[in-house]
Amino acid sequence: MRFTSLGSGSEGNALVVEVSEGASTTRVLLDCGFSVRELQRRLLRVGLEFADLDALIVTHEHTDHVGSSLVLAKKANLPVFMSWGTALASGADDGRVDLRILWGGEALALGDIEVHPYTVPHDAREPLQFVFSDGDRRLGVLTDTGCATPHITAVLGGCDALILECNHDRQMLAASRYPASLKARIAGDLGHLANDAAAALLGQIERSHLKHLIAAHLSQQNNTAVLAQAALAAVAGCVPDEIGVATQAEGFGWRVL
């Protein structure tokens, strides 16, 4: 099992998860917050093409996640998986694409990949986040949630790799030029995790199998990689450089479980 981010942040998100079993390989794309042309460029950077993808999964309808998902699904003839709320909000329910509905708590198999959707508090119609597994190892993804819940900590416990939102530093956000309404939205219980909130969540998760920890969805205006790494490292008990960072421009390269 391996995974790579094609970019993470408010300007676009996409993650590839791949599982190989014998001669077969299954690859899914989680979110497509870029144009089709930009996604193609980013895929080529990690050695992939549209034809290498088997399915597209969308977490929610915000532009930096849904992006060109419907165009890509039609162009590449990919089934697209999302919640019914996300389908209604994004227009995916109009028959243009091969739409498959996901429900939080109901796992499904996509080739050799086990997909476990789970619900999160975020200001979208029916957002989902995901844990991916090959049957032995688990990759947890949490990029858009306003707060931690007991359900989230339970679902992410025991993961071998975790991509965890560290959206903003509270002081940087408070001092920013953002309108008060936007600051309140970001910092609210349906917004995005601050560094300290992500660290607190990490502290509640069972981490005995955790080998890869990556900070994601960092605000380019209201956070820095150094601050995010320091917050997570303090809980993980490691040096900050051991915490990976998913950047907007580059994401991160292939990681293997």
Side-chain angles (χ1 to χ4, degrees), residues 25-29 50-56 77-79 81 110:
T25 298
T26 305
R27 295 184 192 89
V28 300
L29 180 67
F50 293 151
D52 296 316
L53 302 174
D54 296 295
L56 170 60
N77 194 30
L78 292 173
F81 294 79
L110 292 178

Side-chain angles (χ1 to χ4, degrees), residues 27-254:
R27 295 184 192 89
V28 300
L29 180 67
L30 178 64
D31 286 335
C32 179
F34 304 101
S35 69
V36 169
R37 178 177 293 182
E38 179 62 15
L39 181 74
Q40 184 178 42
R41 186 186 73 80
R42 291 176 182 243
L43 281 171
L44 287 172
R45 190 175 67 206
V46 297
L48 298 176
E49 301 177 355
F50 293 151
D52 296 316
L53 302 174
D54 296 295
L56 170 60
I57 301 174
V58 179
T59 58
H60 62 293
E61 73 273 12
H62 291 166
T63 304
D64 58 325
H65 293 267
V66 71
S68 64
S69 293
L70 304 187
V71 177
L72 173 66
K74 188 173 181 179
K75 179 180 179 67
N77 194 30
L78 292 173
V80 57
F81 294 79
M82 60 180 68
S83 71
W84 180 240
T86 300
L88 292 175
S90 64
D93 62 323
D94 65 2
R96 289 179 295 164
V97 298
D98 180 7
L99 175 64
R100 317 284 181 91
I101 298 302
L102 297 173
W103 303 96
E106 292 189 9
L108 74 152
L110 292 178
D112 297 314
I113 300 178
E114 298 175 11
V115 181
H116 300 265
Y118 65 98
T119 56
V120 295
H122 190 53
D123 56 354
R125 185 74 171 267
E126 191 181 350
L128 295 171
Q129 292 291 315
F130 295 88
V131 172
F132 300 93
S133 175
D134 63 359
D136 294 317
R137 292 146 296 191
R138 288 162 40 90
L139 162 65
V141 181
L142 178 63
T143 61
D144 289 71
T145 186
C147 61
T149 67
H151 178 58
I152 291 174
T153 57
V155 168
L156 295 180
C159 283
D160 299 272
L162 179 60
I163 299 171
L164 180 58
E165 175 174 60
C166 291
N167 177 255
H168 60 278
D169 172 79
R170 293 186 193 275
Q171 292 182 332
M172 289 182 68
L173 177 63
S176 74
R177 296 183 178 181
Y178 282 11
S181 58
L182 180 56
K183 291 180 182 180
R185 172 186 169 269
I186 292 171
D189 285 346
L190 297 179
H192 294 273
L193 286 182
N195 292 337
D196 62 336
L201 171 58
L202 180 65
Q204 298 172 31
I205 294 172
E206 197 282 303
R207 306 189 302 278
S208 62
H209 297 281
L210 192 61
K211 301 176 182 66
H212 299 268
L213 177 57
I214 300 165
H217 216 299
L218 275 66
S219 168
Q220 295 183 77
Q221 291 76 33
N222 301 309
N223 207 359
T224 68
V226 170
L227 289 173
Q229 289 173 303
L232 296 186
V235 174
C238 63
V239 297
D241 284 350
E242 293 183 60
I243 306 296
V245 176
T247 68
Q248 184 66 83
E250 301 292 334
F252 57 81
W254 286 108

